[in-house]
Coordinates of all heavy atoms in Angstrom, one line a residue:
M22 N -44.9 -30.0 34.1 CA -44.9 -29.8 32.7 C -45.4 -28.6 32.2 O -46.4 -28.1 32.7 CB -45.8 -30.9 32.1 CG -46.0 -30.9 30.5 SD -47.1 -32.3 30.0 CE -46.3 -32.6 28.5
A23 N -44.7 -27.9 31.4 CA -45.0 -26.5 30.9 C -46.1 -26.6 29.9 O -46.3 -27.6 29.2 CB -43.7 -25.8 30.3
K24 N -46.8 -25.5 29.7 CA -47.9 -25.4 28.8 C -47.3 -25.2 27.4 O -46.4 -24.5 27.2 CB -48.8 -24.2 29.1 CG -49.9 -24.0 28.2 CD -50.9 -22.9 28.8 CE -52.1 -22.8 27.8 NZ -53.0 -21.7 28.3
V25 N -47.9 -25.9 26.4 CA -47.5 -25.9 25.0 C -48.7 -25.3 24.2 O -49.8 -25.9 24.3 CB -47.0 -27.3 24.5 CG1 -46.7 -27.2 23.0 CG2 -45.9 -27.8 25.3
V26 N -48.5 -24.3 23.5 CA -49.5 -23.6 22.7 C -49.1 -23.6 21.3 O -47.9 -23.3 21.0 CB -49.8 -22.2 23.2 CG1 -50.8 -21.5 22.4 CG2 -50.2 -22.2 24.6
W27 N -50.0 -23.9 20.3 CA -49.7 -23.9 18.9 C -50.2 -22.5 18.4 O -51.3 -22.2 18.5 CB -50.4 -25.1 18.2 CG -49.8 -26.3 18.4 CD1 -49.8 -27.1 19.6 CD2 -48.9 -27.1 17.6 NE1 -49.1 -28.3 19.4 CE2 -48.6 -28.4 18.2 CE3 -48.5 -26.8 16.3 CZ2 -47.7 -29.3 17.6 CZ3 -47.6 -27.8 15.7 CH2 -47.3 -29.0 16.3
T28 N -49.4 -21.9 17.5 CA -49.9 -20.7 16.8 C -50.8 -21.2 15.6 O -50.5 -22.3 15.2 CB -48.8 -19.8 16.3 OG1 -48.0 -20.5 15.4 CG2 -47.9 -19.3 17.5
E29 N -51.5 -20.2 15.0 CA -52.2 -20.6 13.8 C -51.3 -21.0 12.7 O -51.6 -21.8 11.9 CB -53.2 -19.5 13.4 CG -54.4 -19.4 14.3 CD -55.4 -20.5 14.3 OE1 -55.6 -21.2 13.0 OE2 -55.8 -21.0 15.2
E30 N -50.2 -20.2 12.6 CA -49.2 -20.5 11.5 C -48.7 -21.9 11.7 O -48.5 -22.5 10.6 CB -48.1 -19.5 11.6 CG -47.1 -19.6 10.5 CD -46.1 -18.4 10.4 OE1 -46.1 -17.5 11.3 OE2 -45.1 -18.5 9.6
A31 N -48.4 -22.2 12.9 CA -47.7 -23.6 13.0 C -48.8 -24.6 12.6 O -48.4 -25.7 11.9 CB -47.3 -23.8 14.5
L32 N -50.0 -24.5 13.0 CA -51.0 -25.4 12.6 C -51.2 -25.5 11.0 O -51.5 -26.5 10.4 CB -52.4 -25.1 13.3 CG -52.4 -25.3 14.8 CD1 -53.6 -24.8 15.3 CD2 -52.2 -26.7 15.2
D33 N -51.1 -24.2 10.5 CA -51.1 -24.2 9.0 C -50.0 -25.0 8.3 O -50.2 -25.8 7.3 CB -51.1 -22.7 8.5 CG -52.4 -21.9 8.8 OD1 -53.4 -22.6 9.2 OD2 -52.3 -20.7 8.6
W34 N -48.8 -24.8 8.9 CA -47.7 -25.7 8.4 C -47.9 -27.2 8.5 O -47.7 -28.0 7.6 CB -46.3 -25.3 9.2 CG -45.7 -24.0 8.7 CD1 -45.7 -22.8 9.4 CD2 -45.0 -23.8 7.5 NE1 -45.1 -21.8 8.6 CE2 -44.7 -22.4 7.5 CE3 -44.7 -24.5 6.4 CZ2 -43.9 -21.9 6.5 CZ3 -44.0 -24.0 5.3 CH2 -43.5 -22.6 5.4
M35 N -48.5 -27.6 9.6 CA -48.8 -29.0 9.8 C -49.8 -29.5 8.8 O -49.7 -30.6 8.3 CB -49.4 -29.3 11.2 CG -48.3 -29.1 12.3 SD -47.2 -30.4 12.4 CE -48.0 -31.6 13.2
Q36 N -50.8 -28.7 8.4 CA -51.8 -29.1 7.4 C -51.0 -29.2 6.0 O -51.3 -30.1 5.2 CB -52.9 -28.0 7.3 CG -54.0 -28.2 8.2 CD -55.2 -27.2 8.0 OE1 -55.0 -26.1 7.7 NE2 -56.4 -27.9 8.1
L37 N -50.1 -28.3 5.7 CA -49.4 -28.3 4.5 C -48.6 -29.6 4.4 O -48.4 -30.3 3.4 CB -48.5 -27.1 4.4 CG -49.2 -25.8 4.0 CD1 -48.1 -24.6 4.1 CD2 -49.8 -25.8 2.6
I38 N -47.8 -30.0 5.5 CA -47.1 -31.2 5.6 C -48.0 -32.4 5.3 O -47.7 -33.3 4.5 CB -46.3 -31.3 6.9 CG1 -45.3 -30.2 7.0 CG2 -45.7 -32.6 7.1 CD1 -44.7 -30.1 8.5
D39 N -49.2 -32.3 6.0 CA -50.1 -33.5 5.8 C -50.6 -33.6 4.4 O -50.6 -34.7 3.8 CB -51.2 -33.3 6.8 CG -52.3 -34.5 6.7 OD1 -51.8 -35.6 6.7 OD2 -53.5 -34.1 6.9
S40 N -50.8 -32.5 3.8 CA -51.4 -32.5 2.3 C -50.3 -33.0 1.5 O -50.6 -33.8 0.6 CB -51.9 -31.1 2.0 OG -52.9 -30.7 2.7
Y41 N -49.1 -32.5 1.7 CA -48.0 -32.8 0.7 C -47.7 -34.3 0.8 O -47.6 -35.0 -0.2 CB -46.8 -31.9 1.0 CG -45.6 -32.3 0.1 CD1 -45.5 -32.0 -1.2 CD2 -44.6 -33.1 0.7 CE1 -44.4 -32.2 -2.0 CE2 -43.4 -33.4 -0.1 CZ -43.5 -33.0 -1.4 OH -42.3 -33.3 -2.2
L42 N -47.4 -34.7 2.1 CA -47.0 -36.2 2.2 C -48.1 -37.1 1.9 O -48.0 -38.2 1.5 CB -46.4 -36.4 3.7 CG -45.1 -35.8 4.0 CD1 -44.8 -36.1 5.4 CD2 -44.0 -36.2 3.1
G43 N -49.4 -36.7 2.3 CA -50.6 -37.5 2.1 C -50.8 -38.0 0.6 O -51.3 -38.8 0.3
E44 N -50.4 -37.0 -0.3 CA -50.5 -37.3 -1.7 C -49.6 -38.4 -2.2 O -50.0 -39.2 -3.0 CB -50.2 -36.1 -2.5 CG -51.2 -35.0 -2.5 CD -51.0 -33.8 -3.3 OE1 -50.1 -33.9 -4.2 OE2 -51.5 -32.7 -3.1
V45 N -48.5 -38.5 -1.6 CA -47.5 -39.6 -1.9 C -47.7 -40.7 -1.2 O -47.7 -41.9 -1.7 CB -46.0 -39.0 -1.7 CG1 -45.1 -40.1 -2.0 CG2 -45.8 -37.8 -2.5
S46 N -47.9 -40.7 0.2 CA -48.0 -41.8 1.2 C -48.8 -41.4 2.4 O -48.2 -40.7 3.3 CB -46.7 -42.4 1.5 OG -46.8 -43.3 2.5
P47 N -50.1 -41.7 2.4 CA -50.8 -41.4 3.6 C -50.2 -42.0 4.9 O -50.2 -41.3 5.9 CB -52.2 -42.0 3.4 CG -52.3 -42.1 1.9 CD -50.9 -42.4 1.4
Q48 N -49.6 -43.1 4.8 CA -49.0 -43.7 6.1 C -47.8 -42.8 6.4 O -47.6 -42.6 7.6 CB -48.5 -45.1 5.8 CG -49.6 -46.1 5.5 CD -50.0 -46.0 4.0 OE1 -49.5 -45.4 3.1 NE2 -51.1 -46.8 3.7
A49 N -47.0 -42.4 5.5 CA -45.8 -41.4 5.9 C -46.4 -40.1 6.4 O -45.7 -39.7 7.3 CB -45.0 -41.2 4.6
A50 N -47.5 -39.7 5.9 CA -48.0 -38.4 6.5 C -48.3 -38.7 8.0 O -48.0 -37.9 8.8 CB -49.2 -38.0 5.7
V51 N -49.0 -39.7 8.3 CA -49.4 -40.0 9.7 C -48.2 -40.2 10.6 O -48.1 -39.6 11.6 CB -50.3 -41.3 9.7 CG1 -50.6 -41.8 11.1 CG2 -51.7 -41.0 9.0
R52 N -47.2 -41.0 10.1 CA -46.0 -41.2 11.0 C -45.3 -39.9 11.2 O -44.8 -39.7 12.3 CB -45.1 -42.1 10.2 CG -45.4 -43.6 10.2 CD -44.3 -44.5 9.9 NE -43.7 -44.1 8.5 CZ -44.1 -44.6 7.3 NH1 -45.1 -45.4 7.3 NH2 -43.5 -44.3 6.3
T53 N -45.1 -39.1 10.2 CA -44.4 -37.9 10.3 C -45.1 -36.9 11.2 O -44.5 -36.3 12.2 CB -44.3 -37.2 9.0 OG1 -43.5 -38.0 8.1 CG2 -43.6 -35.8 9.1
L54 N -46.5 -36.7 11.1 CA -47.2 -35.8 12.0 C -47.2 -36.4 13.4 O -47.1 -35.6 14.4 CB -48.6 -35.6 11.5 CG -48.7 -35.0 10.2 CD1 -50.2 -34.8 9.7 CD2 -48.2 -33.5 10.3
E55 N -47.4 -37.6 13.6 CA -47.3 -38.2 14.9 C -45.9 -38.0 15.6 O -45.9 -37.7 16.7 CB -47.6 -39.7 14.9 CG -49.1 -40.0 14.7 CD -49.5 -41.5 14.7 OE1 -48.5 -42.3 14.7 OE2 -50.7 -41.8 14.7
G56 N -45.0 -38.1 14.8 CA -43.5 -37.9 15.3 C -43.4 -36.5 15.6 O -42.8 -36.2 16.7
I57 N -43.8 -35.5 14.9 CA -43.7 -34.2 15.2 C -44.5 -33.8 16.5 O -44.0 -33.1 17.4 CB -44.2 -33.3 14.1 CG1 -43.2 -33.4 12.9 CG2 -44.3 -31.8 14.4 CD1 -43.7 -32.7 11.6
L58 N -45.7 -34.3 16.7 CA -46.6 -34.2 17.8 C -45.8 -34.7 19.0 O -45.8 -34.0 20.1 CB -47.9 -34.7 17.6 CG -48.7 -34.1 16.6 CD1 -50.1 -34.9 16.4 CD2 -49.1 -32.6 17.0
Q59 N -45.2 -35.8 18.9 CA -44.5 -36.4 20.1 C -43.3 -35.5 20.5 O -43.0 -35.2 21.7 CB -43.9 -37.8 19.8 CG -44.9 -38.9 19.7 CD -44.4 -40.2 19.2 OE1 -43.3 -40.3 18.9 NE2 -45.2 -41.2 19.2
Q60 N -42.6 -34.9 19.6 CA -41.4 -34.0 19.7 C -42.0 -32.7 20.5 O -41.3 -32.3 21.5 CB -40.7 -33.6 18.6 CG -40.0 -34.8 17.9 CD -38.9 -35.4 18.8 OE1 -38.1 -34.7 19.3 NE2 -38.9 -36.7 19.0
V61 N -43.0 -32.2 20.0 CA -43.6 -31.0 20.6 C -44.1 -31.4 22.2 O -43.9 -30.5 22.9 CB -44.7 -30.5 19.8 CG1 -45.5 -29.4 20.6 CG2 -44.2 -29.9 18.5
E62 N -44.7 -32.5 22.3 CA -45.1 -32.8 23.6 C -43.9 -32.9 24.5 O -44.0 -32.5 25.7 CB -45.8 -34.3 23.6 CG -46.4 -34.7 24.9 CD -47.2 -36.0 24.8 OE1 -48.1 -36.0 23.9 OE2 -47.0 -36.9 25.6
M63 N -42.7 -33.3 24.0 CA -41.6 -33.5 24.9 C -41.1 -32.1 25.3 O -40.4 -31.9 26.4 CB -40.4 -34.2 24.1 CG -39.1 -34.3 24.9 SD -37.8 -34.9 23.9 CE -38.5 -36.0 22.6
L64 N -41.3 -31.1 24.5 CA -41.0 -29.7 24.8 C -41.6 -29.3 26.1 O -41.1 -28.4 26.8 CB -41.3 -28.8 23.6 CG -40.5 -29.0 22.3 CD1 -41.0 -28.1 21.2 CD2 -39.1 -28.9 22.5
G65 N -42.8 -29.8 26.4 CA -43.5 -29.4 27.6 C -42.7 -29.7 28.8 O -42.6 -29.1 29.8
D66 N -42.0 -30.8 28.8 CA -41.0 -31.2 29.9 C -39.7 -30.7 29.8 O -39.0 -30.5 30.8 CB -40.9 -32.8 29.9 CG -42.3 -33.4 30.3 OD1 -43.0 -32.8 31.1 OD2 -42.6 -34.5 29.8
H67 N -39.2 -30.4 28.5 CA -37.8 -30.0 28.4 C -37.8 -28.8 27.3 O -37.4 -29.0 26.2 CB -37.0 -31.1 27.8 CG -37.0 -32.4 28.6 ND1 -36.4 -32.5 29.8 CD2 -37.7 -33.5 28.5 CE1 -36.7 -33.7 30.3 NE2 -37.4 -34.3 29.5
P68 N -38.3 -27.6 27.8 CA -38.4 -26.6 26.8 C -37.1 -26.1 26.2 O -37.2 -25.5 25.1 CB -39.1 -25.5 27.6 CG -38.9 -25.8 29.1 CD -38.7 -27.4 29.1
R69 N -36.1 -26.3 26.7 CA -34.7 -25.8 26.3 C -33.9 -26.8 25.5 O -32.7 -26.6 25.4 CB -34.0 -25.1 27.4 CG -34.7 -23.8 27.7 CD -33.9 -23.0 28.8 NE -34.6 -21.7 29.0 CZ -35.7 -21.6 29.8 NH1 -36.3 -22.6 30.3 NH2 -36.3 -20.4 30.0
I70 N -34.6 -27.9 25.1 CA -33.8 -29.0 24.5 C -33.4 -28.7 23.0 O -32.4 -29.1 22.6 CB -34.7 -30.3 24.4 CG1 -33.8 -31.5 24.2 CG2 -35.8 -30.2 23.5 CD1 -34.5 -32.8 24.4
G71 N -34.0 -27.7 22.4 CA -33.7 -27.3 21.1 C -32.6 -26.2 21.1 O -32.5 -25.5 22.1
G72 N -31.9 -26.1 19.9 CA -31.0 -25.0 19.9 C -31.5 -23.7 19.8 O -32.6 -23.4 19.1
R73 N -30.9 -22.8 20.4 CA -31.4 -21.3 20.3 C -31.1 -20.6 19.0 O -30.0 -20.9 18.4 CB -30.6 -20.5 21.5 CG -31.2 -19.2 21.6 CD -31.2 -18.7 23.0 NE -31.9 -17.3 23.0 CZ -32.0 -16.7 24.2 NH1 -31.5 -17.2 25.3 NH2 -32.7 -15.5 24.1
L74 N -32.0 -19.9 18.5 CA -31.8 -19.2 17.3 C -31.5 -17.7 17.5 O -32.5 -17.0 17.8 CB -33.1 -19.3 16.4 CG -33.4 -20.8 16.1 CD1 -34.7 -20.9 15.4 CD2 -32.3 -21.4 15.3
P75 N -30.2 -17.3 17.5 CA -29.9 -15.9 18.0 C -30.4 -14.8 17.1 O -30.5 -13.7 17.6 CB -28.3 -15.9 17.9 CG -28.0 -17.1 17.1 CD -29.1 -18.1 17.2
K76 N -30.9 -15.1 15.9 CA -31.5 -14.0 15.0 C -32.6 -13.3 15.8 O -32.9 -12.2 15.6 CB -32.0 -14.6 13.7 CG -32.7 -13.5 12.9 CD -33.3 -14.1 11.6 CE -34.0 -12.9 11.0 NZ -34.8 -13.2 9.9
W77 N -33.3 -14.1 16.6 CA -34.6 -13.6 17.3 C -34.3 -13.0 18.7 O -35.2 -12.8 19.5 CB -35.7 -14.6 17.2 CG -36.2 -14.6 15.8 CD1 -37.2 -13.8 15.2 CD2 -35.9 -15.6 14.8 NE1 -37.3 -14.2 14.0 CE2 -36.6 -15.3 13.7 CE3 -35.0 -16.6 14.8 CZ2 -36.5 -16.0 12.5 CZ3 -34.9 -17.4 13.6 CH2 -35.7 -17.1 12.5
D78 N -33.0 -13.0 19.1 CA -32.7 -12.4 20.5 C -33.3 -11.0 20.6 O -33.3 -10.3 19.5 CB -31.2 -12.4 20.7 CG -30.7 -13.7 21.0 OD1 -31.4 -14.7 21.3 OD2 -29.5 -13.9 21.0
P79 N -33.8 -10.6 21.7 CA -33.7 -11.2 23.1 C -34.8 -12.3 23.3 O -34.8 -12.9 24.3 CB -33.9 -10.1 24.0 CG -34.8 -9.2 23.2 CD -34.4 -9.3 21.8
R80 N -35.7 -12.5 22.3 CA -36.7 -13.6 22.5 C -36.0 -14.9 22.5 O -35.0 -15.1 21.8 CB -37.7 -13.5 21.3 CG -38.7 -12.3 21.3 CD -39.4 -12.1 20.0 NE -40.2 -13.3 19.8 CZ -40.8 -13.7 18.6 NH1 -40.5 -12.8 17.6 NH2 -41.5 -14.7 18.5
E81 N -36.5 -15.8 23.2 CA -35.8 -17.1 23.4 C -36.6 -18.1 22.3 O -37.4 -18.9 22.7 CB -36.0 -17.6 24.7 CG -35.2 -19.0 24.9 CD -35.1 -19.5 26.3 OE1 -35.6 -18.8 27.2 OE2 -34.6 -20.6 26.5
V82 N -36.1 -17.9 21.1 CA -36.6 -18.8 20.0 C -35.7 -19.9 19.7 O -34.5 -19.7 19.7 CB -36.9 -17.9 18.7 CG1 -37.4 -18.8 17.5 CG2 -37.9 -16.8 19.0
R83 N -36.2 -21.1 19.6 CA -35.5 -22.3 19.5 C -36.0 -23.1 18.4 O -37.0 -23.0 17.9 CB -35.5 -23.1 20.8 CG -34.9 -22.2 22.0 CD -34.9 -23.0 23.3 NE -34.0 -22.4 24.3 CZ -32.8 -22.8 24.5 NH1 -32.1 -23.6 23.8 NH2 -32.0 -22.0 25.3
S84 N -35.0 -24.2 18.0 CA -35.5 -25.2 16.9 C -35.1 -26.5 17.4 O -34.0 -26.8 17.9 CB -34.6 -24.7 15.7 OG -34.8 -25.7 14.7
K85 N -36.0 -27.4 17.2 CA -35.8 -28.8 17.5 C -36.1 -29.6 16.2 O -37.1 -29.4 15.5 CB -36.9 -29.3 18.6 CG -37.0 -30.7 18.8 CD -36.0 -31.1 19.8 CE -36.1 -32.5 20.3 NZ -35.5 -33.5 19.5
L86 N -35.1 -30.4 15.9 CA -35.3 -31.1 14.5 C -36.0 -32.4 14.8 O -35.9 -33.1 15.8 CB -33.8 -31.5 14.1 CG -33.0 -30.3 13.7 CD1 -31.6 -30.9 13.3 CD2 -33.6 -29.6 12.6
Y87 N -36.7 -32.8 13.8 CA -37.4 -34.1 13.7 C -37.3 -34.5 12.2 O -38.0 -34.0 11.4 CB -38.9 -34.1 14.2 CG -39.5 -35.4 13.9 CD1 -39.2 -36.5 14.7 CD2 -40.3 -35.6 13.0 CE1 -39.8 -37.8 14.6 CE2 -40.9 -36.9 12.7 CZ -40.6 -37.9 13.5 OH -41.2 -39.3 13.3
G88 N -36.5 -35.6 11.9 CA -36.3 -35.9 10.6 C -35.9 -34.8 9.7 O -34.9 -34.1 9.9
K89 N -36.7 -34.5 8.6 CA -36.3 -33.5 7.8 C -37.0 -32.1 8.3 O -37.0 -31.1 7.4 CB -36.8 -33.7 6.4 CG -36.1 -35.0 5.7 CD -36.6 -35.3 4.4 CE -35.9 -36.5 3.8 NZ -36.4 -36.9 2.6
Y90 N -37.6 -32.1 9.3 CA -38.5 -30.9 9.7 C -37.8 -30.3 10.9 O -37.2 -30.9 11.7 CB -39.8 -31.4 10.0 CG -40.5 -31.8 8.7 CD1 -40.5 -33.1 8.5 CD2 -41.1 -30.9 7.8 CE1 -41.0 -33.6 7.2 CE2 -41.7 -31.3 6.7 CZ -41.8 -32.6 6.4 OH -42.3 -33.1 5.2
Q91 N -38.1 -29.0 11.0 CA -37.7 -28.1 12.2 C -38.9 -27.6 12.8 O -39.8 -27.0 12.2 CB -36.8 -26.9 11.7 CG -35.6 -27.2 11.1 CD -34.7 -25.8 10.9 OE1 -34.4 -25.1 11.9 NE2 -34.6 -25.5 9.6
I92 N -38.9 -27.8 14.2 CA -40.0 -27.3 15.0 C -39.5 -26.1 15.5 O -38.5 -26.1 16.3 CB -40.4 -28.4 16.0 CG1 -40.8 -29.7 15.4 CG2 -41.5 -27.7 16.9 CD1 -40.8 -30.8 16.4
I93 N -40.1 -24.9 15.2 CA -39.6 -23.6 15.7 C -40.5 -23.2 16.8 O -41.7 -23.2 16.6 CB -39.6 -22.6 14.5 CG1 -38.9 -23.0 13.3 CG2 -39.0 -21.3 15.0 CD1 -37.5 -23.5 13.4
Y94 N -39.9 -22.8 17.9 CA -40.8 -22.5 19.1 C -40.2 -21.4 19.9 O -39.0 -21.2 19.8 CB -41.0 -23.8 19.9 CG -39.8 -24.4 20.5 CD1 -39.6 -24.2 21.9 CD2 -39.1 -25.2 19.9 CE1 -38.5 -24.7 22.6 CE2 -38.0 -25.9 20.4 CZ -37.7 -25.6 21.7 OH -36.6 -26.2 22.4
E95 N -40.9 -20.8 20.8 CA -40.5 -19.7 21.7 C -40.8 -20.2 23.1 O -41.8 -20.8 23.4 CB -41.2 -18.5 21.4 CG -40.7 -17.4 22.3 CD -41.4 -16.0 21.8 OE1 -42.3 -16.0 21.0 OE2 -40.8 -14.9 22.1
V96 N -39.8 -20.1 24.0 CA -39.9 -20.3 25.4 C -40.2 -19.1 26.1 O -39.3 -18.0 25.9 CB -38.7 -21.0 25.9 CG1 -38.9 -21.4 27.5 CG2 -38.3 -22.3 25.2
D97 N -41.2 -18.9 26.9 CA -41.5 -17.6 27.7 C -40.8 -17.7 29.1 O -40.2 -18.8 29.5 CB -43.0 -17.4 27.8 CG -43.8 -18.4 28.6 OD1 -43.2 -19.1 29.5 OD2 -45.0 -18.6 28.3
A98 N -41.0 -16.6 29.9 CA -40.4 -16.5 31.2 C -40.9 -17.7 32.1 O -40.1 -18.0 33.0 CB -40.7 -15.2 31.8
D99 N -42.0 -18.3 31.9 CA -42.5 -19.3 32.8 C -42.2 -20.7 32.2 O -42.8 -21.7 32.6 CB -44.0 -19.2 33.0 CG -44.3 -17.8 33.7 OD1 -43.6 -17.4 34.6 OD2 -45.4 -17.2 33.3
D100 N -41.4 -20.8 31.3 CA -41.0 -22.0 30.5 C -42.2 -22.6 29.7 O -42.1 -23.7 29.3 CB -40.5 -23.1 31.5 CG -39.1 -22.8 32.1 OD1 -38.4 -22.0 31.5 OD2 -38.7 -23.4 33.1
G101 N -43.1 -21.8 29.5 CA -44.2 -22.2 28.5 C -43.6 -22.2 27.1 O -42.7 -21.5 26.8
V102 N -44.2 -23.0 26.3 CA -43.7 -23.2 24.9 C -44.8 -22.7 23.9 O -46.0 -23.1 24.1 CB -43.3 -24.7 24.7 CG1 -43.1 -24.9 23.2 CG2 -42.2 -25.0 25.5
R103 N -44.4 -21.9 22.9 CA -45.4 -21.5 21.8 C -44.7 -22.0 20.6 O -43.7 -21.5 20.2 CB -45.5 -20.0 21.9 CG -46.6 -19.5 21.0 CD -47.0 -18.0 21.4 NE -46.0 -17.2 21.0 CZ -45.9 -16.3 20.0 NH1 -47.0 -16.2 19.2 NH2 -44.8 -15.5 19.8
V104 N -45.4 -22.9 19.9 CA -44.9 -23.5 18.6 C -45.2 -22.4 17.6 O -46.3 -22.1 17.3 CB -45.6 -24.8 18.3 CG1 -45.0 -25.4 17.0 CG2 -45.4 -25.9 19.4
L105 N -44.1 -21.9 16.9 CA -44.3 -20.9 15.9 C -44.4 -21.4 14.4 O -45.2 -20.8 13.7 CB -43.0 -20.0 15.9 CG -42.8 -19.3 17.3 CD1 -41.5 -18.6 17.2 CD2 -43.9 -18.3 17.8
A106 N -43.7 -22.5 14.2 CA -43.8 -23.1 12.9 C -43.2 -24.5 12.9 O -42.5 -24.8 13.7 CB -43.0 -22.2 11.8
V107 N -43.6 -25.3 11.8 CA -43.0 -26.6 11.6 C -42.7 -26.6 10.1 O -43.5 -26.6 9.3 CB -43.9 -27.7 11.9 CG1 -43.1 -29.0 11.6 CG2 -44.3 -27.6 13.4
I108 N -41.3 -26.4 9.7 CA -40.9 -26.2 8.4 C -39.9 -27.3 8.0 O -39.3 -27.9 8.8 CB -40.2 -24.9 8.2 CG1 -38.9 -24.7 9.0 CG2 -41.2 -23.8 8.5 CD1 -38.1 -23.5 8.7
H109 N -39.9 -27.5 6.6 CA -38.9 -28.4 6.1 C -37.5 -27.9 6.3 O -37.3 -26.6 6.2 CB -39.1 -28.6 4.6 CG -38.4 -29.7 4.0 ND1 -37.1 -29.7 3.6 CD2 -38.8 -31.1 3.9 CE1 -36.7 -30.9 3.2 NE2 -37.7 -31.8 3.3
G110 N -36.5 -28.7 6.6 CA -35.2 -28.3 6.9 C -34.6 -27.6 5.7 O -33.5 -26.9 6.0
A111 N -34.9 -27.8 4.6 CA -34.4 -27.1 3.4 C -34.8 -25.7 3.3 O -34.1 -24.8 2.6 CB -34.7 -27.9 2.0
M112 N -35.8 -25.3 4.0 CA -36.1 -23.8 3.9 C -35.2 -22.9 4.7 O -34.5 -23.4 5.7 CB -37.6 -23.7 4.5 CG -38.6 -24.4 3.8 SD -40.2 -24.1 4.5 CE -40.5 -22.4 4.3
D113 N -35.0 -21.7 4.2 CA -34.1 -20.9 4.9 C -34.8 -20.1 6.0 O -35.6 -19.2 5.7 CB -33.7 -19.7 3.8 CG -32.6 -18.9 4.4 OD1 -32.2 -18.9 5.5 OD2 -32.1 -18.0 3.6
I114 N -34.6 -20.5 7.2 CA -35.3 -20.0 8.4 C -35.0 -18.6 8.6 O -35.7 -17.9 9.2 CB -35.0 -20.9 9.6 CG1 -35.8 -20.5 10.8 CG2 -33.5 -20.8 10.0 CD1 -35.8 -21.4 11.9
R115 N -33.9 -18.1 8.2 CA -33.4 -16.8 8.4 C -34.3 -15.7 7.8 O -34.4 -14.6 8.1 CB -31.9 -16.4 7.8 CG -30.9 -17.3 8.7 CD -29.6 -17.2 8.0 NE -29.7 -17.8 6.7 CZ -28.8 -17.8 5.8 NH1 -27.6 -17.3 6.1 NH2 -29.0 -18.5 4.6
R116 N -35.1 -16.2 6.7 CA -36.1 -15.3 6.0 C -37.4 -15.2 6.6 O -38.3 -14.4 6.3 CB -36.3 -15.8 4.6 CG -35.0 -15.6 3.8 CD -35.2 -16.0 2.4 NE -34.1 -15.5 1.6 CZ -34.2 -15.1 0.3 NH1 -35.4 -15.4 -0.3 NH2 -33.3 -14.8 -0.4
M117 N -37.7 -16.1 7.7 CA -38.9 -16.2 8.3 C -39.1 -15.1 9.3 O -38.1 -14.6 9.9 CB -39.1 -17.6 8.9 CG -39.0 -18.6 7.9 SD -39.6 -20.2 8.6 CE -41.4 -19.8 8.5
R118 N -40.4 -14.7 9.6 CA -40.7 -13.7 10.6 C -41.7 -14.2 11.5 O -42.6 -14.8 11.0 CB -41.2 -12.4 9.9 CG -40.2 -11.7 9.1 CD -40.8 -10.5 8.3 NE -40.0 -10.2 7.3 CZ -39.3 -9.1 7.3 NH1 -39.3 -8.3 8.3 NH2 -38.5 -8.7 6.4
F119 N -41.5 -14.1 12.8 CA -42.5 -14.6 13.8 C -42.8 -13.5 14.6 O -42.2 -12.6 15.0 CB -41.8 -15.7 14.6 CG -41.2 -16.8 13.9 CD1 -39.8 -17.0 13.7 CD2 -42.1 -17.7 13.2 CE1 -39.4 -18.1 13.1 CE2 -41.6 -18.8 12.5 CZ -40.2 -19.0 12.4

């Protein structure tokens, strides 16, 4: 299993998701965050499961979908995973900088 590391930015996104969903439905917030965490855990075993985002070539930045959210992550030379962001699918990822 490869090492999975969260960036501060990714953790900030998770807090925003929790705050936003928690206002409407605390149960939905818990389910969503748990689902995202399970998907990220899976990346440790299968780091290349998500689609590659060519905008960031030559870096190996990828995206894995979970419901309405995109988990944006980078795979390093040792197959380690660095979670860069977790964003709502409606956001324009092309404008993001990592």
Side-chain angles (χ1 to χ4, degrees):
M22 179 180 212
K24 183 176 180 181
V25 177
V26 176
W27 288 75
T28 63
E29 286 297 318
E30 183 175 356
L32 293 173
D33 289 346
W34 282 107
M35 291 289 280
Q36 278 189 316
L37 288 171
I38 293 167
D39 184 37
S40 295
Y41 177 77
L42 291 178
E44 288 182 16
V45 178
S46 171
Q48 296 84 4
V51 169
R52 280 193 313 271
T53 300
L54 293 176
E55 285 178 349
I57 291 169
L58 291 172
Q59 287 174 353
Q60 294 298 308
V61 169
E62 188 175 309
M63 184 188 326
L64 296 176
D66 292 324
H67 308 284
R69 290 180 175 81
I70 197 168
R73 188 150 185 180
L74 301 174
K76 176 186 176 182
W77 287 279
D78 284 348
R80 293 169 57 198
E81 190 174 350
V82 177
R83 295 178 169 269
S84 173
K85 171 87 172 82
L86 297 177
Y87 174 75
K89 296 179 180 180
Y90 295 92
Q91 290 186 69
I92 302 162
I93 311 301
Y94 64 98
E95 183 173 13
V96 180
D97 66 25
D99 298 322
D100 288 343
V102 172
R103 189 165 67 110
V104 181
L105 303 173
V107 179
I108 62 171
H109 192 276
M112 293 182 68
D113 185 357
I114 191 171
R115 295 171 296 175
R116 293 181 164 207
M117 299 196 76
R118 296 173 192 253
F119 303 111

